[in-house]
Amino acid sequence: PEDAARLGLLVRHYYLAEVLRAREGAPPGRRSRRPTPRRARALVAAEPLIRWLTRTVFETRGAVVPFVVEVEMEAWAMELSGLSFDAWLPSMRFAVILELDMTGGAPTTQRVFMVLPDELVGNTVSALHAQIQTWDLREFDDRFGGFQEKASAGIGRLDLKWRGSSGFELEAQHVQCKLQLPR
């Protein structure tokens, strides 16, 4: 619950600081790059009134309202500590959903989760598949340390298998290793 509440506050801050942007100076239908402090302050000032109206107009006991935020990320590198290379991940577009409990008229974050499109998952697995083939296995395990040349793995197919809500597994098929024996 504490993590969900903190994520809820971060999303609120993001919404107020980034999403409510001025249209001043921007072409019609476009947002300018500058956040509008007036809009954000007006929304913050109106929050008590919105809560009061919500409590008086709607039955809020047990009501859960989903709040969806679209997240778009450029391609990025994930640092792999202790290794000479990073894992590169493709650009991503997904949704973060906050379930807001409206009991008492004040929204409190009950649950936070992400929705990842199948295409995003497939693109990420494909990007990892291409990179794994270039990695040097000597960096992962000291037992490969005796090989003088790069120890690489070839993977014919890499699939992601969901294990229900508990997580997923990466399944590698047709794995081959190229190892140059020491002389």
Side-chain angles (χ1 to χ4, degrees):
E2 293 169 10
D3 291 340
R6 182 167 177 169
L7 281 171
L9 287 174
L10 287 172
V11 169
R12 178 182 178 273
H13 174 72
Y14 168 79
Y15 186 79
L16 291 174
E18 299 295 328
V19 176
L20 296 176
R21 294 184 178 185
R23 296 184 193 276
E24 302 162 12
R30 295 269 177 115
R31 297 177 183 166
S32 75
R33 295 187 183 267
R34 295 178 303 163
T36 307
R38 275 184 307 195
R39 262 191 204 167
R41 281 196 302 261
L43 187 60
V44 169
E47 277 182 320
L49 177 62
I50 293 169
R51 287 183 189 147
W52 177 80
L53 282 172
T54 302
R55 282 192 306 269
T56 57
V57 175
F58 299 108
E59 174 59 49
T60 58
R61 187 179 27 226
V64 176
V65 176
F67 181 75
V68 180
V69 178
E70 181 182 10
V71 177
E72 200 166 335
M73 296 172 60
E74 297 294 325
W76 57 287
M78 181 171 55
E79 183 179 338
L80 302 174
S81 61
L83 301 175
S84 65
F85 50 84
D86 297 331
W88 290 91
L89 298 167
S91 59
M92 302 179 181
R93 188 172 167 187
F94 56 92
V96 174
I97 301 175
L98 283 80
E99 288 186 347
L100 303 173
D101 183 1
M102 299 302 291
T103 302
T108 55
T109 307
Q110 183 177 18
R111 191 170 80 138
V112 177
F113 57 96
M114 295 180 356
V115 177
L116 305 174
D118 290 340
E119 182 181 3
L120 169 62
V121 174
N123 290 344
T124 303
V125 170
S126 295
L128 287 175
H129 181 235
Q131 293 173 69
I132 288 171
Q133 319 233 18
T134 66
W135 293 347
D136 188 349
L137 299 177
R138 295 178 296 175
E139 294 189 48
F140 288 100
D141 194 322
D142 293 338
R143 294 175 287 185
F144 289 108
F147 296 103
Q148 296 172 344
E149 294 186 30
K150 179 179 173 181
S152 60
I155 300 173
R157 183 180 171 132
L158 187 66
D159 287 322
L160 184 129
K161 305 271 183 179
W162 289 103
R163 298 181 57 191
S165 61
S166 64
F168 62 89
E169 293 177 349
L170 281 176
E171 180 180 89
Q173 298 175 356
H174 310 293
V175 178
Q176 301 172 348
C177 289
K178 179 182 176 187
L179 306 171
Q180 299 288 338
L181 295 173
R183 298 177 195 230

